[in-house]
């Protein structure tokens, strides 16, 4: 499917990935326990979950690297079990660890993959040069990959996954171990891919990454989907908001906090002072409590510069849903252990 055809098709809002009742067991361990999932064409679906939740097993099933025990899954219209060879022509995969050949140059790595995908010699060289430029690797194209920094290897790995111009791209924790600047570069490239009509299934434990890239989220824990939806909807589902009150007079910060704590308003959380931003933060559960707080502060003559509400952070949503805090990505086990764990 050409890029223009794919973009036109995506505008129709079709489903690129459809999963129903997917199971994968390793002995008594249920790595996937009846997973259902739909990913719209031309979007990013973020798959969140703690280590061992089943995220990597899901990606491996959908990329035909392993066979599910039961259930069905189609990707770009192809069945992952019955049509694996055709499916591999329309997908790309970037795992947690760069899979390039360190002895080959960056350009040689991409040409090799192009030839494995049946591109002509000229076609493979042309495509390699396009991607080297796109991923800012042209100057290092002839250097052995073993001389690349971690960020450069990750960009080369992403370029390799794009050689075949895939309709669906799997990114399995793609920025693990990268510094913030390089991570932002990877995010920019993913956004560009989606702009070209690529559908992305992203597994991650970086909450900022999920909010930056994913239009919708699916949360997996112990092989089961436990929540899903848009980021804003998941935050609202967890419940509760934080009221951020900023008095006009900074000297009113502590008196305002004390007044709220002493108010006796039902369900109002403990007020805290953020001196750096000059605000008082207090958890609320309803619009009625917001109105009550405003009425209280007005009655005591407190002049407000601003008052805003904030939904829970995605980290708080993750903790609420799974009972685990997301890791920083530095504790991700090696691939062999990951499979045993999931």
């Amino acid at each position: 499917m050409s890029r223009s055809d794919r973009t036109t098709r995506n505008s129709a809002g079709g489903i690129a990935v459809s999963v129903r009742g997917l199971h994968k067991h390793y002995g008594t361990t249920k790595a996937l326990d009846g997973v259902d999932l739909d990913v719209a064409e031309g979007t990013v679906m973020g798959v969140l979950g703690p280590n061992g939740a089943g995220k990597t097993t899901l990606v491996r099933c959908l990329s035909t690297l392993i066979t599910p025990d039961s259930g069905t899954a189609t990707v770009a219209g192809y069945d992952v079990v019955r049509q694996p060879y055709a499916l591999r022509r329309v997908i790309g995969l970037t795992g947690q660890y760069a899979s390039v050949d360190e002895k080959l140059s960056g350009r040689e790595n991409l040409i090799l993959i192009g030839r494995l995908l049946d591109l002509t010699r000229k076609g493979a060289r042309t495509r390699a040069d396009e991607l080297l430029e796109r991923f800012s690797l042209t100057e290092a194209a002839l250097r052995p990959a073993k001389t690349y920094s971690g960020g450069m290897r990750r960009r080369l790995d992403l370029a390799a996954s794009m050689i075949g111009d895939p309709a669906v791209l799997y990114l399995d924790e793609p920025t693990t171990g990268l510094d913030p600047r390089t991570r932002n570069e990877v995010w920019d490239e993913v956004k560009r891919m989606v702009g070209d009509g690529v559908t992305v299934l992203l597994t991650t434990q970086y909450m900022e990454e999920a909010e930056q890239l994913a239009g919708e989220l699916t949360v997996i824990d112990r092989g089961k989907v436990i929540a899903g939806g848009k980021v804003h909807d998941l935050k609202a589902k967890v419940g509760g908001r934080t009221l951020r009150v900023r008095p006009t007079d900074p000297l009113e910060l502590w008196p305002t906090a004390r007044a709220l704590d002493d108010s006796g308003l039902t369900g109002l959380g403990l007020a805290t002072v953020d001196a750096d931003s000059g605000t008082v933060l207090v958890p609320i559960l309803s619009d009625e409590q917001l109105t009550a707080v405003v009425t209280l502060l007005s009655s005591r003559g407190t002049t407000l510069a601003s008052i805003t509400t904030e939904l829970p952070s995605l980290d708080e949503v993750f903790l609420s849903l799974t009972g685990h805090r997301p890791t920083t990505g530095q504790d991700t086990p090696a691939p062999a252990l990951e499979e045993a764990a999931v």
Side-chain angles (χ1 to χ4, degrees):
M1 184 186 301
S2 71
R3 186 171 297 142
S4 60
D5 289 341
R6 186 168 63 225
T7 303
T8 300
R9 183 178 173 189
N10 287 345
S11 66
I15 299 298
V17 180
S18 179
V19 178
R20 292 292 178 272
L22 210 64
H23 287 81
K24 183 65 180 178
H25 296 176
Y26 297 98
T28 59
T29 301
K30 296 180 179 180
L32 297 177
D33 192 12
V35 169
D36 293 334
L37 180 70
D38 284 322
V39 185
E41 292 177 336
T43 67
V44 179
M45 169 65 77
V47 180
L48 305 179
N51 281 335
K55 305 185 300 298
T56 294
T57 298
L58 175 63
V59 169
R60 289 176 177 173
C61 284
L62 295 180
S63 56
T64 75
L65 294 177
I66 59 176
T67 303
D69 296 330
S70 62
T72 62
T74 59
V75 178
Y78 296 104
D79 186 280
V80 299
V81 176
R82 294 186 292 106
Q83 300 169 294
Y85 298 109
L87 174 58
R88 290 168 193 159
R89 296 285 178 179
V90 296
I91 62 173
L93 169 63
T94 295
Q96 298 175 27
Y97 303 89
S99 57
V100 298
D101 188 323
E102 294 191 343
K103 295 181 180 179
L104 299 180
S105 70
R107 189 170 189 264
E108 288 170 336
N109 266 285
L110 298 186
I111 292 173
L112 174 62
I113 293 171
R115 295 293 287 150
L116 290 173
L117 291 173
D118 293 334
L119 296 182
T120 64
R121 286 186 175 86
K122 181 179 179 181
R125 289 195 295 268
T126 299
R127 183 65 173 153
D129 291 338
E130 287 177 1
L131 290 168
L132 287 165
E133 182 175 357
R134 178 171 178 174
F135 286 86
S136 302
L137 291 170
T138 301
E139 291 185 4
L142 302 182
R143 284 169 39 195
K146 65 182 179 182
T147 67
Y148 285 17
S149 67
M152 292 171 67
R153 291 191 191 192
R154 176 54 71 198
R155 295 204 303 275
L156 181 61
D157 212 32
L158 277 171
S161 71
M162 295 298 293
I163 282 285
D165 198 20
V168 178
L169 178 63
Y170 305 120
L171 301 179
D172 190 15
E173 303 197 17
T175 60
T176 295
L178 297 185
D179 62 84
R181 183 181 64 82
T182 305
R183 186 176 302 144
N184 285 332
E185 292 176 354
V186 171
W187 291 350
D188 289 342
E189 191 53 49
V190 172
K191 292 173 184 176
R192 190 184 311 172
M193 294 174 190
V194 176
D196 286 342
V198 177
T199 302
V200 175
L201 182 70
L202 166 76
T203 75
T204 184
Q205 293 193 65
Y206 292 119
M207 298 298 101
E208 184 183 3
E209 183 163 83
E211 292 204 79
Q212 280 280 334
L213 298 178
E216 294 206 11
L217 300 176
T218 293
V219 184
I220 295 180
D221 195 20
R222 298 178 178 88
K224 291 180 177 289
V225 173
I226 60 173
K230 297 186 182 301
V231 174
H232 183 278
D233 294 337
L234 284 177
K235 289 181 176 182
K237 185 181 296 186
V238 169
R241 289 172 290 172
T242 298
L243 189 62
R244 186 177 286 270
V245 178
R246 185 159 69 92
T248 303
D249 183 357
L251 296 178
E252 281 291 309
L253 276 174
W254 291 104
T256 297
R258 285 194 296 270
L260 292 172
D261 285 341
D262 295 341
S263 66
L265 294 175
T266 303
L268 201 66
L270 183 66
T272 58
V273 172
D274 182 354
D276 291 337
S277 63
T279 58
V280 177
L281 286 71
V282 58
I284 62 172
L285 297 175
S286 66
D287 290 338
E288 289 75 14
Q289 288 178 332
L290 168 59
T291 301
V293 167
V294 173
T295 301
L296 170 68
L297 296 180
S298 177
S299 68
R300 66 183 301 274
T302 304
T303 304
L304 301 180
S306 65
I307 182 167
T308 59
T309 59
E310 299 174 352
L311 287 171
S313 69
L314 198 52
D315 292 85
E316 292 168 327
V317 172
F318 190 95
L319 176 61
S320 174
L321 293 171
T322 68
H324 308 275
R325 287 196 178 277
T327 68
T328 61
Q330 297 175 347
D331 299 324
T332 304
L337 298 179
E338 171 79 7
E339 193 57 61
V342 294

